[in-house]
Amino acid sequence: MTTQRDIARTAGVSVAVVSAVLNGTTHTRMSEATRARVLQAMENLDYQPNQAARSLRLNRTGMIALILHKLDNPVYADLLRGVYGAASEHGGTVLLGDAEMMRSSSQFVTRLLSQGTVDGILIRDDQLYDDDVMAELRSHPKPILSLDHDQHHPWVGIDDRRAGEIATRFLLNLRHRRIAFIGGAPGHAFQQRYLGYQQEMQQAGLEPAPHLATGFGEQAGAHGLRQALQLPAAPTAVVVNNIMSAVGVLAAARDLGIAVPDQLSVVGIHDVGLMEHLRPAVTAVRMPMYELGQAGVHALYDLMAGNPHTSGTITTPEPELIIRDSATALADT
């Protein structure tokens, strides 16, 4: 059986350093390179810590909760990979919760917190959650970190405004001038995407269309397109606030006899593998969700260890435009 002494010998550090890495303590100073070397030695030696003894000693379970709005949303696939990978680095495990199932009448949150099941909680889009659930989460001393800009908790976010800028600038460069913005709901991320769109339109000397905040999912996209077509100047292109709504935009366009991209160009924010298999394949702005998951877990473990956390936006990598077939240059008129 591999011991901490074996790891220390392989990594060329003291047992105290190995213990500090395992326990997430901060009184032992070390560089990131040293920490990485210890983690690599643990992996090479297939070290399996005695979690039961460790939990008793530290009064921790080693488990964190990740609570998302609609776990079946494919946008979360990369986020989950990042969360699982980073939690594994810390020797922890992840409990998933769906905010759709967590209403004020549910006992899930009470059981989650009162029984000492988790050491910390990651949330995203807390404005979409039941108010009573959020109040109960905040009433307990467990650290909470938000994977989105948040006024109430420490947070790590992605550059949603930049995503709106990239999508809109791409369409402007394709000579579109009547561009609508579809989907989303009240909330920081969705407002920021619209603000990015608004900024690019204004810089091009154009009047931004109102935010058609029709919600999420395929039906929201279809409803949003029908609303956009009722605007005083019907759009030749749309930016779709969330990628699954772009599926609904394509379906509604087909039902209405509108050819994509020849009569309507479509760009979605976020990207999932499904988008390249649609016809036309959907041009999208890929967001750094994997990196968001990683950064969120590392920040949460810092909070759990009693360290301060400076909230901020991930800037590397920045949102990336993935050009496919759903957008084309506007023909000269």
Side-chain angles (χ1 to χ4, degrees):
M1 178 183 295
T2 302
T3 66
Q4 292 188 28
R5 191 173 300 279
D6 297 327
I7 297 169
R9 186 181 304 111
T10 301
V13 299
S14 68
V15 174
V17 168
V18 174
S19 178
V21 171
L22 282 169
N23 296 328
T25 58
T26 58
H27 58 267
T28 301
R29 297 179 62 84
M30 74 186 80
S31 66
E32 281 302 311
T34 298
R35 180 176 176 275
R37 198 162 68 248
V38 171
L39 291 171
Q40 187 62 55
M42 290 168 57
E43 182 177 341
N44 292 344
L45 295 173
D46 194 25
Y47 176 70
Q48 301 295 326
N50 185 329
Q51 291 293 351
R54 183 172 179 235
S55 295
L56 287 171
R57 184 173 69 254
L58 300 175
N59 194 26
R60 296 181 192 167
T61 65
M63 181 179 289
I64 61 174
L66 171 62
I67 303 174
L68 299 172
H69 183 73
K70 294 188 176 180
L71 280 171
D72 59 353
N73 187 339
V75 165
Y76 292 139
D78 284 341
L79 176 73
L80 289 171
R81 287 197 307 109
V83 167
Y84 286 137
S88 179
E89 287 183 32
H90 290 275
T93 54
V94 182
L95 174 67
L96 292 177
D98 193 328
E100 282 284 288
M101 309 300 294
M102 296 168 59
R103 302 302 178 195
S104 54
S105 59
S106 167
Q107 296 301 308
F108 177 82
V109 175
T110 300
R111 292 195 298 269
L112 181 73
L113 298 174
S114 64
Q115 296 176 11
T117 308
V118 300
D119 297 326
I121 301 169
L122 293 172
I123 60 173
R124 180 167 167 81
D125 301 333
D126 69 344
Q127 293 187 10
L128 302 178
Y129 297 1
D130 185 290
D131 289 342
D132 291 338
V133 168
M134 287 308 305
E136 186 168 5
L137 284 174
R138 292 169 182 149
S139 70
H140 288 262
K142 304 289 185 180
I144 297 175
L145 184 124
S146 176
L147 299 174
D148 189 14
H149 185 281
D150 197 303
Q151 295 181 346
H152 304 287
H153 311 106
W155 58 272
V156 175
I158 50 180
D159 198 343
D160 290 287
R161 183 167 184 148
R162 181 69 180 133
E165 293 172 2
I166 290 170
T168 308
R169 174 50 53 189
F170 174 67
L171 291 170
L172 289 168
N173 288 342
L174 293 177
R175 298 196 296 272
H176 291 278
R177 293 297 177 265
R178 300 200 307 273
I179 304 171
F181 192 92
I182 291 172
H188 177 82
F190 316 116
Q191 291 171 347
Q192 287 298 306
R193 294 171 197 172
Y194 177 74
L195 288 174
Y197 154 85
Q198 187 179 55
Q199 173 183 299
E200 291 297 316
M201 292 290 284
Q202 290 172 341
Q203 287 184 353
L206 302 170
E207 182 68 26
H211 182 185
L212 302 175
T214 51
F216 309 93
E218 295 87 341
Q219 289 301 318
H223 184 48
L225 178 59
R226 289 186 169 88
Q227 284 192 17
L229 295 175
Q230 300 304 311
L231 293 171
T236 62
V238 294
V239 175
V240 189
N241 203 328
N242 58 93
I243 193 63
M244 294 311 296
S245 291
V247 177
V249 170
L250 294 187
R254 183 178 178 86
D255 290 345
L256 295 167
I258 299 171
V260 176
D262 294 336
Q263 294 174 289
L264 181 74
S265 287
V266 178
V267 178
I269 294 178
H270 276 302
D271 188 36
V272 297
L274 169 66
M275 296 303 112
E276 64 179 299
H277 300 294
L278 297 177
R279 294 296 178 269
V282 179
T283 294
V285 180
R286 180 176 294 162
M287 306 297 279
M289 298 297 281
Y290 177 81
E291 290 80 6
L292 176 63
Q294 284 188 315
V297 169
H298 291 318
L300 181 60
Y301 271 87
D302 276 346
L303 290 173
M304 287 156 48
N307 300 326
H309 168 70
T310 301
S311 299
T313 300
I314 296 172
T315 56
T316 305
E318 75 167 6
E320 176 188 9
L321 181 68
I322 308 298
I323 300 175
R324 298 194 180 101
D325 303 325
S326 63
T328 193
L330 187 68
D332 293 326
T333 57

PDB file of all heavy atoms in Angstrom, residues 11 13 20 27 33 58 63 80 85 89 91 122 161 179-180 189 212 215 232 240 262 277 287 299 303 315 318 322:
ATOM      1  N   ALA A  11       8.341  12.476  -5.016  1.00  0.00           N
ATOM      2  CA  ALA A  11       8.237  13.883  -5.427  1.00  0.00           C
ATOM      3  C   ALA A  11       9.415  14.724  -4.964  1.00  0.00           C
ATOM      4  O   ALA A  11       9.567  15.870  -5.401  1.00  0.00           O
ATOM      5  CB  ALA A  11       6.932  14.484  -4.889  1.00  0.00           C
ATOM      6  N   VAL A  13       9.965  15.769  -1.796  1.00  0.00           N
ATOM      7  CA  VAL A  13       9.518  16.776  -0.834  1.00  0.00           C
ATOM      8  C   VAL A  13       9.374  16.109   0.526  1.00  0.00           C
ATOM      9  O   VAL A  13       9.559  14.897   0.666  1.00  0.00           O
ATOM     10  CB  VAL A  13       8.165  17.392  -1.263  1.00  0.00           C
ATOM     11  CG1 VAL A  13       8.287  18.090  -2.598  1.00  0.00           C
ATOM     12  CG2 VAL A  13       7.071  16.324  -1.318  1.00  0.00           C
ATOM     13  N   ALA A  20       0.066  18.567   3.381  1.00  0.00           N
ATOM     14  CA  ALA A  20      -0.570  19.858   3.110  1.00  0.00           C
ATOM     15  C   ALA A  20      -1.346  19.817   1.794  1.00  0.00           C
ATOM     16  O   ALA A  20      -2.451  20.366   1.689  1.00  0.00           O
ATOM     17  CB  ALA A  20       0.478  20.965   3.069  1.00  0.00           C
ATOM     18  N   HIS A  27      -0.720  26.442   5.826  1.00  0.00           N
ATOM     19  CA  HIS A  27       0.391  26.869   6.665  1.00  0.00           C
ATOM     20  C   HIS A  27       1.725  26.383   6.118  1.00  0.00           C
ATOM     21  O   HIS A  27       2.777  26.885   6.512  1.00  0.00           O
ATOM     22  CB  HIS A  27       0.188  26.375   8.111  1.00  0.00           C
ATOM     23  CG  HIS A  27       0.062  24.888   8.228  1.00  0.00           C
ATOM     24  ND1 HIS A  27      -1.155  24.264   8.218  1.00  0.00           N
ATOM     25  CD2 HIS A  27       1.003  23.914   8.334  1.00  0.00           C
ATOM     26  CE1 HIS A  27      -0.975  22.952   8.340  1.00  0.00           C
ATOM     27  NE2 HIS A  27       0.325  22.725   8.407  1.00  0.00           N
ATOM     28  N   ALA A  33       4.462  24.556  -8.808  1.00  0.00           N
ATOM     29  CA  ALA A  33       5.237  23.471  -9.407  1.00  0.00           C
ATOM     30  C   ALA A  33       5.418  22.321  -8.414  1.00  0.00           C
ATOM     31  O   ALA A  33       5.333  21.144  -8.785  1.00  0.00           O
ATOM     32  CB  ALA A  33       6.602  23.992  -9.869  1.00  0.00           C
ATOM     33  N   LEU A  58     -10.372  15.817   9.808  1.00  0.00           N
ATOM     34  CA  LEU A  58     -10.550  17.198   9.369  1.00  0.00           C
ATOM     35  C   LEU A  58     -11.982  17.697   9.550  1.00  0.00           C
ATOM     36  O   LEU A  58     -12.277  18.846   9.267  1.00  0.00           O
ATOM     37  CB  LEU A  58     -10.182  17.313   7.877  1.00  0.00           C
ATOM     38  CG  LEU A  58      -8.749  16.944   7.507  1.00  0.00           C
ATOM     39  CD1 LEU A  58      -8.600  16.987   5.994  1.00  0.00           C
ATOM     40  CD2 LEU A  58      -7.751  17.864   8.183  1.00  0.00           C
ATOM     41  N   MET A  63     -16.616  15.952  -0.009  1.00  0.00           N
ATOM     42  CA  MET A  63     -17.631  16.040  -1.060  1.00  0.00           C
ATOM     43  C   MET A  63     -18.099  17.480  -1.236  1.00  0.00           C
ATOM     44  O   MET A  63     -18.286  18.199  -0.257  1.00  0.00           O
ATOM     45  CB  MET A  63     -18.831  15.157  -0.727  1.00  0.00           C
ATOM     46  CG  MET A  63     -19.935  15.171  -1.788  1.00  0.00           C
ATOM     47  SD  MET A  63     -21.329  14.086  -1.359  1.00  0.00           S
ATOM     48  CE  MET A  63     -20.555  12.486  -1.594  1.00  0.00           C
ATOM     49  N   LEU A  80     -19.121  20.042 -16.435  1.00  0.00           N
ATOM     50  CA  LEU A  80     -19.051  18.878 -15.553  1.00  0.00           C
ATOM     51  C   LEU A  80     -17.682  18.205 -15.646  1.00  0.00           C
ATOM     52  O   LEU A  80     -17.132  17.774 -14.629  1.00  0.00           O
ATOM     53  CB  LEU A  80     -20.158  17.896 -15.912  1.00  0.00           C
ATOM     54  CG  LEU A  80     -21.581  18.339 -15.546  1.00  0.00           C
ATOM     55  CD1 LEU A  80     -22.608  17.400 -16.147  1.00  0.00           C
ATOM     56  CD2 LEU A  80     -21.757  18.415 -14.042  1.00  0.00           C
ATOM     57  N   GLY A  85     -12.851  16.756 -12.902  1.00  0.00           N
ATOM     58  CA  GLY A  85     -11.398  16.666 -12.962  1.00  0.00           C
ATOM     59  C   GLY A  85     -10.721  17.418 -11.831  1.00  0.00           C
ATOM     60  O   GLY A  85      -9.798  16.910 -11.196  1.00  0.00           O
ATOM     61  N   GLU A  89      -8.512  16.098  -8.429  1.00  0.00           N
ATOM     62  CA  GLU A  89      -7.186  16.596  -8.031  1.00  0.00           C
ATOM     63  C   GLU A  89      -7.115  16.845  -6.531  1.00  0.00           C
ATOM     64  O   GLU A  89      -6.072  16.665  -5.907  1.00  0.00           O
ATOM     65  CB  GLU A  89      -6.861  17.898  -8.777  1.00  0.00           C
ATOM     66  CG  GLU A  89      -6.539  17.742 -10.237  1.00  0.00           C
ATOM     67  CD  GLU A  89      -6.159  19.069 -10.852  1.00  0.00           C
ATOM     68  OE1 GLU A  89      -5.566  19.917 -10.142  1.00  0.00           O
ATOM     69  OE2 GLU A  89      -6.474  19.291 -12.033  1.00  0.00           O
ATOM     70  N   GLY A  91      -8.819  15.192  -4.363  1.00  0.00           N
ATOM     71  CA  GLY A  91      -9.222  13.991  -3.652  1.00  0.00           C
ATOM     72  C   GLY A  91     -10.668  14.009  -3.221  1.00  0.00           C
ATOM     73  O   GLY A  91     -11.056  13.290  -2.295  1.00  0.00           O
ATOM     74  N   LEU A 122     -21.249  24.598  -5.140  1.00  0.00           N
ATOM     75  CA  LEU A 122     -21.148  25.388  -6.362  1.00  0.00           C
ATOM     76  C   LEU A 122     -22.551  25.581  -6.923  1.00  0.00           C
ATOM     77  O   LEU A 122     -23.335  24.633  -6.995  1.00  0.00           O
ATOM     78  CB  LEU A 122     -20.298  24.673  -7.411  1.00  0.00           C
ATOM     79  CG  LEU A 122     -18.804  24.492  -7.129  1.00  0.00           C
ATOM     80  CD1 LEU A 122     -18.190  23.592  -8.195  1.00  0.00           C
ATOM     81  CD2 LEU A 122     -18.091  25.836  -7.097  1.00  0.00           C
ATOM     82  N   ARG A 161     -20.345  39.057 -21.948  1.00  0.00           N
ATOM     83  CA  ARG A 161     -20.449  40.254 -22.797  1.00  0.00           C
ATOM     84  C   ARG A 161     -19.606  40.092 -24.058  1.00  0.00           C
ATOM     85  O   ARG A 161     -20.040  40.459 -25.160  1.00  0.00           O
ATOM     86  CB  ARG A 161     -20.005  41.488 -22.009  1.00  0.00           C
ATOM     87  CG  ARG A 161     -20.150  42.782 -22.796  1.00  0.00           C
ATOM     88  CD  ARG A 161     -20.012  43.990 -21.898  1.00  0.00           C
ATOM     89  NE  ARG A 161     -20.244  45.220 -22.622  1.00  0.00           N
ATOM     90  CZ  ARG A 161     -20.786  46.319 -22.093  1.00  0.00           C
ATOM     91  NH1 ARG A 161     -21.171  46.302 -20.827  1.00  0.00           N
ATOM     92  NH2 ARG A 161     -20.955  47.397 -22.804  1.00  0.00           N
ATOM     93  N   ILE A 179     -30.214  43.056 -37.257  1.00  0.00           N
ATOM     94  CA  ILE A 179     -29.849  41.885 -36.449  1.00  0.00           C
ATOM     95  C   ILE A 179     -30.680  41.919 -35.166  1.00  0.00           C
ATOM     96  O   ILE A 179     -30.683  42.915 -34.442  1.00  0.00           O
ATOM     97  CB  ILE A 179     -28.347  41.905 -36.094  1.00  0.00           C
ATOM     98  CG1 ILE A 179     -27.501  42.001 -37.375  1.00  0.00           C
ATOM     99  CG2 ILE A 179     -27.969  40.658 -35.286  1.00  0.00           C
ATOM    100  CD1 ILE A 179     -26.013  42.249 -37.103  1.00  0.00           C
ATOM    101  N   ALA A 180     -31.372  40.838 -34.887  1.00  0.00           N
ATOM    102  CA  ALA A 180     -32.178  40.732 -33.660  1.00  0.00           C
ATOM    103  C   ALA A 180     -31.438  39.884 -32.629  1.00  0.00           C
ATOM    104  O   ALA A 180     -30.506  39.141 -32.956  1.00  0.00           O
ATOM    105  CB  ALA A 180     -33.537  40.127 -33.968  1.00  0.00           C
ATOM    106  N   ALA A 189     -25.694  37.018 -16.758  1.00  0.00           N
ATOM    107  CA  ALA A 189     -25.084  36.467 -17.964  1.00  0.00           C
ATOM    108  C   ALA A 189     -25.860  36.865 -19.205  1.00  0.00           C
ATOM    109  O   ALA A 189     -25.277  37.298 -20.216  1.00  0.00           O
ATOM    110  CB  ALA A 189     -25.004  34.943 -17.859  1.00  0.00           C
ATOM    111  N   LEU A 212     -35.398  40.281 -26.938  1.00  0.00           N
ATOM    112  CA  LEU A 212     -36.566  39.401 -26.931  1.00  0.00           C
ATOM    113  C   LEU A 212     -36.268  38.242 -25.993  1.00  0.00           C
ATOM    114  O   LEU A 212     -35.856  37.154 -26.405  1.00  0.00           O
ATOM    115  CB  LEU A 212     -36.863  38.916 -28.347  1.00  0.00           C
ATOM    116  CG  LEU A 212     -37.110  40.036 -29.375  1.00  0.00           C
ATOM    117  CD1 LEU A 212     -37.284  39.463 -30.773  1.00  0.00           C
ATOM    118  CD2 LEU A 212     -38.311  40.886 -28.979  1.00  0.00           C
ATOM    119  N   GLY A 215     -36.737  33.214 -22.987  1.00  0.00           N
ATOM    120  CA  GLY A 215     -36.421  32.077 -22.137  1.00  0.00           C
ATOM    121  C   GLY A 215     -35.399  31.146 -22.743  1.00  0.00           C
ATOM    122  O   GLY A 215     -34.500  31.578 -23.483  1.00  0.00           O
ATOM    123  N   PRO A 232     -40.538  46.196 -36.454  1.00  0.00           N
ATOM    124  CA  PRO A 232     -40.770  47.115 -37.583  1.00  0.00           C
ATOM    125  C   PRO A 232     -39.882  46.809 -38.791  1.00  0.00           C
ATOM    126  O   PRO A 232     -40.316  46.956 -39.934  1.00  0.00           O
ATOM    127  CB  PRO A 232     -40.447  48.484 -36.974  1.00  0.00           C
ATOM    128  CG  PRO A 232     -40.745  48.310 -35.509  1.00  0.00           C
ATOM    129  CD  PRO A 232     -40.357  46.903 -35.186  1.00  0.00           C
ATOM    130  N   VAL A 240     -28.622  34.316 -30.992  1.00  0.00           N
ATOM    131  CA  VAL A 240     -29.467  33.549 -30.073  1.00  0.00           C
ATOM    132  C   VAL A 240     -28.728  33.385 -28.754  1.00  0.00           C
ATOM    133  O   VAL A 240     -27.613  32.851 -28.714  1.00  0.00           O
ATOM    134  CB  VAL A 240     -29.838  32.173 -30.654  1.00  0.00           C
ATOM    135  CG1 VAL A 240     -30.892  31.498 -29.777  1.00  0.00           C
ATOM    136  CG2 VAL A 240     -30.362  32.318 -32.082  1.00  0.00           C
ATOM    137  N   ASP A 262     -29.688  31.540 -46.282  1.00  0.00           N
ATOM    138  CA  ASP A 262     -29.862  32.446 -47.413  1.00  0.00           C
ATOM    139  C   ASP A 262     -30.782  33.621 -47.098  1.00  0.00           C
ATOM    140  O   ASP A 262     -30.554  34.745 -47.568  1.00  0.00           O
ATOM    141  CB  ASP A 262     -30.403  31.669 -48.616  1.00  0.00           C
ATOM    142  CG  ASP A 262     -29.394  30.649 -49.127  1.00  0.00           C
ATOM    143  OD1 ASP A 262     -28.184  30.847 -48.885  1.00  0.00           O
ATOM    144  OD2 ASP A 262     -29.817  29.661 -49.752  1.00  0.00           O
ATOM    145  N   HIS A 277     -24.028  18.725 -36.289  1.00  0.00           N
ATOM    146  CA  HIS A 277     -24.767  17.664 -36.971  1.00  0.00           C
ATOM    147  C   HIS A 277     -26.128  18.122 -37.464  1.00  0.00           C
ATOM    148  O   HIS A 277     -26.834  17.369 -38.136  1.00  0.00           O
ATOM    149  CB  HIS A 277     -24.927  16.464 -36.031  1.00  0.00           C
ATOM    150  CG  HIS A 277     -23.624  15.879 -35.591  1.00  0.00           C
ATOM    151  ND1 HIS A 277     -22.755  15.257 -36.463  1.00  0.00           N
ATOM    152  CD2 HIS A 277     -23.015  15.858 -34.375  1.00  0.00           C
ATOM    153  CE1 HIS A 277     -21.676  14.854 -35.803  1.00  0.00           C
ATOM    154  NE2 HIS A 277     -21.810  15.216 -34.544  1.00  0.00           N
ATOM    155  N   MET A 287     -17.937  28.815 -25.359  1.00  0.00           N
ATOM    156  CA  MET A 287     -17.555  29.416 -24.093  1.00  0.00           C
ATOM    157  C   MET A 287     -16.630  28.469 -23.320  1.00  0.00           C
ATOM    158  O   MET A 287     -16.759  27.241 -23.440  1.00  0.00           O
ATOM    159  CB  MET A 287     -18.802  29.714 -23.255  1.00  0.00           C
ATOM    160  CG  MET A 287     -19.846  30.549 -23.979  1.00  0.00           C
ATOM    161  SD  MET A 287     -19.250  32.194 -24.427  1.00  0.00           S
ATOM    162  CE  MET A 287     -19.459  33.043 -22.870  1.00  0.00           C
ATOM    163  N   ALA A 299     -11.356  27.380  -6.590  1.00  0.00           N
ATOM    164  CA  ALA A 299     -11.731  28.517  -5.737  1.00  0.00           C
ATOM    165  C   ALA A 299     -12.554  28.053  -4.539  1.00  0.00           C
ATOM    166  O   ALA A 299     -12.388  28.555  -3.419  1.00  0.00           O
ATOM    167  CB  ALA A 299     -12.511  29.546  -6.554  1.00  0.00           C
ATOM    168  N   LEU A 303     -11.858  28.427  -0.452  1.00  0.00           N
ATOM    169  CA  LEU A 303     -12.797  28.928   0.549  1.00  0.00           C
ATOM    170  C   LEU A 303     -12.981  27.923   1.682  1.00  0.00           C
ATOM    171  O   LEU A 303     -13.052  28.297   2.859  1.00  0.00           O
ATOM    172  CB  LEU A 303     -14.154  29.213  -0.107  1.00  0.00           C
ATOM    173  CG  LEU A 303     -14.228  30.400  -1.073  1.00  0.00           C
ATOM    174  CD1 LEU A 303     -15.582  30.425  -1.758  1.00  0.00           C
ATOM    175  CD2 LEU A 303     -13.980  31.713  -0.340  1.00  0.00           C
ATOM    176  N   THR A 315     -10.540  35.040 -18.416  1.00  0.00           N
ATOM    177  CA  THR A 315     -10.233  35.739 -19.667  1.00  0.00           C
ATOM    178  C   THR A 315      -9.420  34.886 -20.628  1.00  0.00           C
ATOM    179  O   THR A 315      -9.277  35.240 -21.802  1.00  0.00           O
ATOM    180  CB  THR A 315      -9.453  37.042 -19.381  1.00  0.00           C
ATOM    181  OG1 THR A 315      -8.271  36.730 -18.622  1.00  0.00           O
ATOM    182  CG2 THR A 315     -10.316  38.006 -18.585  1.00  0.00           C
ATOM    183  N   GLU A 318     -10.596  33.048 -24.157  1.00  0.00           N
ATOM    184  CA  GLU A 318     -11.788  33.860 -24.314  1.00  0.00           C
ATOM    185  C   GLU A 318     -12.781  33.122 -25.199  1.00  0.00           C
ATOM    186  O   GLU A 318     -12.447  32.111 -25.830  1.00  0.00           O
ATOM    187  CB  GLU A 318     -11.445  35.224 -24.903  1.00  0.00           C
ATOM    188  CG  GLU A 318     -11.130  35.258 -26.375  1.00  0.00           C
ATOM    189  CD  GLU A 318     -11.127  36.684 -26.925  1.00  0.00           C
ATOM    190  OE1 GLU A 318     -11.257  37.651 -26.162  1.00  0.00           O
ATOM    191  OE2 GLU A 318     -11.024  36.820 -28.146  1.00  0.00           O
ATOM    192  N   ILE A 322     -17.033  29.616 -33.630  1.00  0.00           N
ATOM    193  CA  ILE A 322     -16.955  28.381 -34.404  1.00  0.00           C
ATOM    194  C   ILE A 322     -17.851  28.564 -35.631  1.00  0.00           C
ATOM    195  O   ILE A 322     -19.074  28.553 -35.530  1.00  0.00           O
ATOM    196  CB  ILE A 322     -17.425  27.159 -33.587  1.00  0.00           C
ATOM    197  CG1 ILE A 322     -16.677  27.095 -32.243  1.00  0.00           C
ATOM    198  CG2 ILE A 322     -17.232  25.876 -34.382  1.00  0.00           C
ATOM    199  CD1 ILE A 322     -15.173  26.932 -32.364  1.00  0.00           C
TER     200      ILE A 322
END
